[in-house]
Amino acid sequence: MKKIVIIGGNGQLGNCIRKIAPDFENKYEFIFTDSQTLDITNEDQVNDFFYDHKPDFCINASAYTAVDLAEKEEEKAFAVNAYGVAHLAQACVDHKSILIHVSTDYVFDGDTNLSYSEDDFTNPIGVYGQSKRKGEELALEINPKTVILRTSWLYSEFNKNFLKTMMNLFSQKDELGIVADQFGQPTNANDLAEAIMEIIETPNKTFGIFHFSNYPETTWFEFAKKIAEFSKSTVKLNPLTTEQYPTPAKRPTRSTLALDKIEQVYKIEPKHWENSLEDCVNTLSS
């Protein structure tokens, strides 16, 4: 039986993979790790873990994701998002494992009116995006058998995310201001988990960078409005500009991802974000 190790098994994507793992229990043994059981910034720990478990696939669902805090904690962000990824990539080479690494739309500067393709120039405007881009570069440089999945605005019923923050605030506030001039694609982490398993199940894999998200693009404000609608909240939402809501880290204005490549190569058809959001709100509300 083939083995799949999931780095970051207690994160929201890790939990979404854990949720569907029983569907594949006759084919794969799933090994979930967290930062307590495996510190990917420690090269010796990574090597020992791979030597003990010899996985066929390594899904890196772990990341330093505190976008604003990363501006102060650059070393920590790079340790996890770049050099930790390099340790995994090297261990995958040594043990003939395939690496599936999750990256972000924040590798782009967002200064465009178009959707970004996988080949477009990356120009991250914050430390988080810079550390994630470095991780991409190191993974592909070290291990040619790497699939990088860039995704965006990830949410789920697990852990902390925009959806859960909004639903919590809706129950406490009568009125909220939400940024309305940043564009992206909200993505249900359950859909990303399913896409990863489809890639693992594909016999002849194509390696390299792929974009996966729900579609089409929207704004944080419209995203919040739909959360309110689906959760039957009466909260009043007011649109804000980025200038009215300053943050320590700059965000891309429009970091929409083109999805053609993953559809053509892996025959994975992303879902409309509103449908996936409604599913998740219903799960949280039930």
Side-chain angles (χ1 to χ4, degrees):
M1 189 180 285
K2 292 194 169 179
K3 290 182 185 178
I4 303 173
V5 63
I6 296 89
I7 312 293
N10 290 336
Q12 61 173 336
L13 176 58
N15 275 311
C16 291
I17 295 169
R18 199 186 288 272
K19 195 167 100 175
I20 60 172
D23 298 341
F24 300 93
E25 64 187 2
N26 295 331
K27 285 178 137 181
Y28 305 105
E29 180 189 341
F30 289 82
I31 303 159
F32 292 89
T33 77
D34 58 21
S35 56
Q36 307 304 307
T37 53
L38 176 60
D39 176 6
I40 64 169
T41 67
N42 184 320
E43 191 173 7
D44 290 338
Q45 262 194 48
V46 172
N47 290 338
D48 290 346
F49 183 88
F50 271 71
Y51 183 81
D52 290 343
H53 294 282
K54 298 179 176 56
D56 298 277
F57 300 94
C58 173
I59 301 169
N60 184 25
S62 72
Y64 178 106
T65 56
V67 176
D68 289 322
L69 198 56
E71 298 298 309
K72 284 184 186 171
E73 297 187 347
E74 184 170 350
E75 199 173 312
K76 197 171 175 184
F78 270 82
V80 176
N81 293 345
Y83 307 117
V85 177
H87 298 154
L88 292 173
Q90 187 58 58
C92 283
V93 170
D94 296 342
H95 294 274
K96 298 181 173 56
S97 309
I98 288 170
L99 176 62
I100 297 173
H101 172 62
V102 179
S103 191
T104 174
D105 56 325
Y106 278 34
V107 298
F108 297 112
D109 60 20
D111 188 17
T112 182
N113 290 320
L114 304 170
S115 297
Y116 285 104
S117 80
E118 287 80 354
D119 299 326
D120 281 337
F121 180 69
T122 54
N123 184 34
I125 53 177
V127 169
Y128 167 69
Q130 289 160 6
S131 66
K132 292 295 286 182
R133 178 178 66 176
K134 187 66 178 174
E136 289 184 4
E137 291 169 354
L138 290 169
L140 290 170
E141 194 181 297
I142 294 165
N143 184 9
K145 290 192 170 179
T146 294
V147 174
I148 288 172
L149 289 173
R150 289 184 186 141
T151 192
S152 60
W153 297 18
L154 216 56
Y155 68 87
S156 68
E157 65 269 40
F158 303 108
N159 304 61
K160 280 171 66 176
N161 54 65
F162 184 79
L163 164 62
K164 290 179 74 178
T165 299
M166 286 299 108
M167 288 181 73
N168 190 36
L169 287 172
F170 293 170
S171 65
Q172 300 170 15
K173 309 269 186 185
D174 297 323
E175 200 168 335
L176 281 173
I178 309 288
V179 172
D181 59 357
Q182 292 172 18
F183 295 82
Q185 291 140 297
T187 304
N188 189 328
N190 289 286
D191 294 339
L192 178 58
E194 287 175 12
I196 287 170
M197 289 311 300
E198 283 187 54
I199 289 168
I200 286 175
E201 290 270 83
T202 302
N204 298 313
K205 291 174 185 47
T206 302
F207 300 105
I209 299 172
F210 292 85
H211 290 169
F212 178 86
S213 68
N214 294 136
Y215 76 92
E217 72 170 21
T218 190
T219 63
W220 291 110
F221 177 68
E222 293 297 329
F223 186 13
K225 270 174 64 177
K226 278 293 169 187
I227 296 169
E229 180 189 321
F230 293 144
S231 62
K232 299 179 174 58
S233 169
T234 54
V235 69
K236 185 184 180 206
L237 297 175
N238 302 312
L240 299 178
T241 64
T242 298
E243 283 180 353
Q244 289 173 297
Y245 189 78
T247 54
K250 281 172 122 181
R251 265 73 170 169
T253 302
R254 175 177 265 105
S255 54
T256 314
L257 302 172
L259 306 172
D260 322 45
K261 185 178 173 184
I262 201 161
E263 289 189 60
Q264 289 162 5
V265 174
Y266 281 107
K267 308 295 183 266
I268 293 170
E269 291 186 26
K271 296 174 186 171
H272 197 291
W273 72 265
E274 290 183 22
N275 297 337
S276 281
L277 175 64
E278 189 171 15
D279 289 345
C280 200
V281 171
N282 290 342
T283 299
L284 282 166
S285 303
S286 59

